[in-house]
Amino acid sequence: MLSKALLRLGTSAARHPWRVIAAWLIAATFAVLAAIAVGGRTADSMTAPGLDSQRAAQLIERAGTGQEGMTAQVVVTPLDGGATFFGHGSARTALTRLQTEVQRLPHVLGTSDPAGALGAGGDTTVRGGLVSADGRIAVVRVQYPDQSRLSAEDLDALVDLGDRLRAELPLRIEMGGSLFYAFSDPDGGASELIGLLAAATILFLAFGSLVAAALPIGMAVFGLTVGVATMTVLAGVTDVPTFAPVLGSMVGLGVGIDYALFVLARHREYLARGLDPREAAGRAVATAGRPVVFAGGTVVVSILGLAVANVPFMTVGGIAVSIVVLIMVVASVTLLPAFLGAAGPRLGRAGRIGRALRAGRSGRLGRRRDPAAGAPHAAGWRRWIGHVGRHPVPYAVGAAGLLLTATLPVLGLRVGLPDDGSLPHSRTERRAYDLVAEGFGPGTNGPLVIAADPTGDPGVLDRLVATVAADPGIASVAPTHIDRATGIATLVVFPTTSPQDKATADTIARLRTDVLPTAIGEGPARAHVGGAAASLSDVGQRTSQRLPVFVAAVLAMSFLLLMLAFRSILVPLKAVLLNLLSIGASYGIMVAVFQWGWGGALIGLEATVPIVSFIPMFLFAILFGLSMDYEVFLLSRVREEYLRTGDNRTAIVEGVSGTARIITSAALIMVAVFLSFAVAEDPSTKMFGLGLATAIFIDATVVRMVLVPATMTLLGRTNWWLPKWLDRMLPHGPVSTDDTDAESTGEAPRPGLPTGESAPVRPS
């Protein structure tokens, strides 16, 4: 049985703590050294098989035009407000030198020549969209090879050159492009530190002991070190998206500290009963470790389910984050009991500061002390849950109505990818974006690339250029490039709207469904729309199409696992519906903040942006798994009380109030960790942080402390109804609370309803 295995594992780790700690130190050292030796950098490849943008990329690659590679752009304007690039003044001379120096950088295949585009005579004829009509803004477009042949050193070389030339030339120099998107360091370092400090503060207030607060933090840091290093090694083998380390750190810290908190709380209960610290650690792992393993496994399976989207970067990102979660689960049942064994009996008592804090709090609130846990007794929670139980209908209707109202903005959800225009003004990419939009129009920041194979129809290119240029969503079309060897042509076209504008997605769709078919006709020629904006639009559509299938699969899996765990049909059904409510509400709040701008300034959001296309699916996978933490932890206690007493109301009051303090502390830790990422610069990181924090807060408050007791009270004894024929067919789940599990941990069996018996249908 799982309990017996965890009991042996936890007891062994607690009896030989320094061996286990040394083993983790060795593992962490080996992982870091491997990351240094063979690890790679994260890189984004926003493509997926079967998409029209992917077919365009394949044609471009066949043509060998270089447009399939990475790009950068250097945007300049004279520091002298009255100067322009027209004529032969110092500004134009500086522009020529800048272009020459950029051309000499390693791996640069070529650059545009805005000074040359002005003409040798210095006239004001502007060609190629390289110099604005007023001569104030110029763009040097830089072409690099494929991302696989580049590294962060290429970005560093370009940035260093810009820093040097800013001091030598009379130009304001800003930079952007896909090179920055691919190789810029992701946000995270400062956010992780803020999250750790917030978690440490909450843990200290919860346990009143510096030692008790330090152990979950230490375990999480160990696990995160191994997890992120392993992710770096994975990046040396395949393309790991840039958001994976940030998301892995966010989720890893949250679940790691959460899992440690569950085990530590049970360990302190056993210490208060007088058990030896090593035996207490073993039993804590055997009891609290079961829901930890179950919840962690649910998180991993949910995230791995992202593979159904058939978007490679999402699949790899899910694997990378799952590795971090899995490592945190292993650390919770091995490293944490080693820490507990090494700490000895000190964890059973609060420190001097903690005793003073609790004495003051207890005096003010008049709370009794819990003899088992040495903490303030949950009399307040018991009164609240009893109050909800006496008025279940208004509380159930009111809480459900509140969450449904918060979910309503989801009806206006628009997926896309925030462009550089959503970055803060402190970033050079944002300043370059603004200069380009000012000088050439917003669509210049997101050009589309049409790849055409005119085989068998030599006149198709002229028709193609004419029909594309006539579309109202297209501002201009650059000269056609034709590869002589393959005959493949590429057209760079500039929309009238910005990359993240919904009108741009509409233009892409119109080009594919109306414009290109009209130009090509029934002939053998073919054409596809590519480029970064088209790729991101395609990925967004695919994830939106696959989201219902993914949600259905996760819901079905969660229902089955909870049915196995709690031997009930209505409990897992209720859990699935309530989790949907909390996740839907978090989606609605994200739409209100990021698309409507409500409160965006509080998290440093400077412009409204669409919801990143892959974030809803990622959030659903992570949140549904994380919500299982609280679901399993709470329902396990309720089930134990029901088996002991056979009374539904008593089980709800005692079970929910007995877990309320731990769930509240765990939720506060997760919310603090996730909110620390919501203030990062990158909008995608903000979305992950705010979405996760909001959902966890709603889940731990409105759902667990209002909807769960209200609905379970209304359902009465039918909560635990399971047909006898189905009960005989089902194996026992990993968190079942039957007498066999109690015996495996050395606890006396409790009287009450046997696990395999169907509860009466009548209400309590």
Side-chain angles (χ1 to χ4, degrees):
M1 291 179 62
L2 178 61
S3 295
K4 292 182 179 179
L6 290 175
L7 177 64
R8 290 192 297 268
L9 184 62
T11 303
S12 176
R15 288 177 178 171
H16 308 286
W18 301 114
R19 295 182 187 176
V20 177
I21 295 172
W24 271 91
L25 279 171
I26 293 171
T29 303
F30 177 79
V32 171
L33 291 176
I36 295 173
V38 300
R41 289 183 63 92
T42 57
D44 288 306
S45 178
M46 299 292 184
T47 59
L51 299 177
D52 190 67
S53 55
Q54 178 70 4
R55 298 187 184 100
Q58 291 169 348
L59 279 180
I60 295 170
E61 187 174 0
R62 276 181 52 199
T65 62
Q67 290 175 328
E68 75 278 8
M70 305 296 295
T71 60
Q73 59 182 14
V74 182
V75 189
V76 296
T77 187
L79 291 175
D80 181 356
T84 70
F85 293 112
F86 297 146
H88 292 284
S90 60
R92 181 166 177 176
T93 302
L95 177 61
T96 301
R97 180 185 165 192
L98 180 142
Q99 183 267 334
T100 302
E101 297 236 21
V102 171
Q103 176 73 56
R104 294 172 180 168
L105 288 175
H107 297 129
V108 170
L109 300 178
T111 67
S112 62
D113 183 7
L118 288 170
D123 57 49
T124 59
T125 301
V126 182
R127 295 191 298 273
L130 301 177
V131 181
S132 61
D134 61 2
R136 289 280 305 156
I137 299 171
V139 179
V140 177
R141 295 194 173 92
V142 190
Q143 185 66 55
Y144 285 91
D146 185 78
Q147 183 172 330
S148 61
R149 297 167 57 187
L150 301 175
S151 69
E153 295 178 357
D154 294 285
L155 175 60
D156 294 339
L158 180 62
V159 171
D160 291 343
L161 175 63
D163 292 338
R164 177 169 63 84
L165 293 181
R166 285 188 185 99
E168 300 175 3
L169 302 178
L171 300 175
R172 173 188 167 191
I173 303 173
E174 306 296 350
M175 300 178 177
S178 61
L179 189 71
F180 283 80
Y181 184 78
F183 294 112
S184 293
D185 289 327
D187 297 334
S191 298
E192 292 168 11
L193 180 59
I194 295 171
L196 284 173
L197 291 175
T201 303
I202 296 168
L203 285 168
F204 176 71
L205 293 176
F207 291 114
S209 166
L210 289 174
V211 176
L215 294 189
I217 299 294
M219 189 212 79
V221 170
F222 260 101
L224 196 59
T225 300
V226 176
V228 173
T230 305
M231 194 182 298
T232 305
V233 174
L234 180 64
V237 179
T238 186
D239 288 337
V240 175
T242 54
F243 66 79
V246 176
L247 186 58
S249 299
M250 197 186 309
V251 176
L253 283 177
V255 301
I257 297 173
D258 246 22
Y259 296 163
L261 178 61
F262 293 158
V263 176
L264 179 59
R266 188 62 68 96
H267 174 73
R268 283 165 60 92
E269 288 183 16
Y270 287 130
L271 288 178
R273 296 179 188 177
L275 270 67
D276 176 79
R278 295 173 181 177
E279 183 182 357
R283 291 194 183 185
V285 172
T287 51
R290 284 177 297 164
V292 164
V293 172
F294 175 80
T298 304
V299 174
V300 170
V301 173
S302 297
I303 296 176
L304 291 179
L306 291 167
V308 303
N310 195 25
V311 178
F313 79 87
M314 290 182 61
T315 302
V316 176
I319 292 172
V321 176
S322 296
I323 289 173
V324 178
V325 175
L326 187 60
I327 289 173
M328 288 299 182
V329 172
V330 175
S332 299
V333 297
T334 57
L335 181 59
L336 182 60
F339 283 163
L340 300 179
R346 286 177 293 175
L347 291 176
R349 54 182 182 271
R352 182 180 302 174
I353 299 176
R355 289 196 298 271
L357 287 173
R358 287 197 173 166
R361 183 170 58 184
S362 180
R364 288 192 306 271
L365 301 181
R367 291 181 178 175
R368 295 180 286 121
R369 291 191 175 275
D370 186 343
H377 194 58
W381 286 113
R382 183 176 284 108
R383 286 194 297 271
W384 168 252
I385 301 304
H387 172 71
V388 172
R390 289 190 296 273
H391 309 87
V393 174
Y395 276 105
V397 173
L402 177 65
L403 295 185
L404 287 173
T405 302
T407 305
L408 287 177
V410 173
L411 299 176
L413 185 145
R414 180 170 65 87
V415 298
L417 189 77
D419 53 32
D420 288 346
S422 61
L423 294 175
H425 287 280
S426 59
R427 296 276 291 269
T428 185
E429 302 101 297
R430 169 62 186 273
R431 297 193 295 270
Y433 179 97
D434 289 344
L435 281 176
V436 170
E438 176 188 343
F440 306 96
T444 313
N445 281 298
L448 306 175
V449 182
I450 298 178
D453 183 356
T455 303
D457 189 355
V460 72
L461 293 181
D462 292 335
R463 298 198 306 271
L464 194 62
V465 172
T467 53
V468 169
D471 186 86
I474 300 300
S476 61
V477 180
T480 306
H481 181 281
I482 303 176
D483 178 62
R484 293 184 178 180
T486 61
I488 294 173
T490 54
L491 289 78
V492 178
V493 301
F494 299 96
T496 58
T497 49
S498 67
Q500 71 177 22
D501 199 311
K502 183 179 183 298
T504 303
D506 295 338
T507 297
I508 294 171
R510 189 168 57 251
L511 288 175
R512 289 171 173 162
T513 57
D514 298 332
V515 177
L516 298 188
T518 299
I520 293 174
E522 301 296 331
R526 56 196 177 103
H528 305 283
V529 182
S535 296
L536 295 171
S537 176
D538 289 351
V539 169
Q541 288 185 2
R542 171 161 290 184
T543 54
S544 298
Q545 292 169 355
R546 299 293 176 89
L547 183 60
V549 177
F550 171 73
V551 168
V554 172
L555 294 181
M557 178 197 67
S558 301
F559 177 83
L560 291 175
L561 288 176
L562 287 173
M563 184 170 63
L564 288 173
F566 297 108
R567 324 299 294 175
S568 166
I569 289 180
L570 293 181
V571 163
L573 180 61
K574 171 192 63 64
V576 165
L577 294 177
L578 295 187
N579 287 343
L580 274 177
L581 274 178
S582 63
I583 295 173
S586 71
Y587 282 3
I589 292 172
M590 285 175 58
V591 171
V593 172
F594 290 97
Q595 289 185 206
W596 300 352
W598 292 5
L602 298 176
I603 58 173
L605 188 68
E606 298 186 3
T608 57
V609 294
I611 304 301
V612 177
S613 57
F614 55 83
I615 282 184
M617 188 174 284
F618 252 104
L619 281 184
F620 189 89
I622 295 170
L623 289 173
F624 219 92
L626 293 181
S627 67
M628 290 298 107
D629 293 1
Y630 304 137
E631 192 74 36
V632 171
F633 190 67
L634 185 151
L635 290 180
S636 294
R637 287 297 185 93
V638 174
R639 176 69 171 171
E640 287 178 11
E641 293 297 330
Y642 185 65
L643 292 175
R644 183 176 64 84
T645 65
D647 182 81
N648 185 65
R649 289 185 181 271
T650 300
I652 294 170
V653 172
E654 295 300 323
V656 177
S657 62
T659 57
R661 184 173 63 89
I662 297 301
I663 287 179
T664 303
S665 299
L668 282 175
I669 289 170
M670 276 204 181
V671 169
V673 169
F674 295 151
L675 281 181
S676 68
F677 286 84
V679 296
E681 289 186 344
D682 182 65
S684 300
T685 305
K686 290 180 184 292
M687 288 181 195
F688 275 125
L690 183 66
L692 290 170
T694 302
I696 293 299
F697 177 78
I698 292 172
D699 191 80
T701 53
V702 179
V703 173
R704 302 296 157 214
M705 300 306 155
V706 179
L707 277 174
V708 166
T711 53
M712 292 190 76
T713 299
L714 290 172
L715 291 173
R717 291 175 64 90
T718 56
N719 279 303
W720 312 108
W721 175 74
L722 184 70
K724 291 184 178 180
W725 63 267
L726 182 58
D727 183 67
R728 288 191 295 267
M729 293 176 58
L730 295 176
H732 286 287
V735 292
S736 60
T737 53
D738 57 11
D739 295 343
T740 312
D741 281 342
E743 291 172 0
S744 71
T745 60
E747 298 183 54
R750 295 186 175 106
L753 182 68
T755 303
E757 183 179 331
S758 300
V761 179
R762 65 180 183 276
S764 59

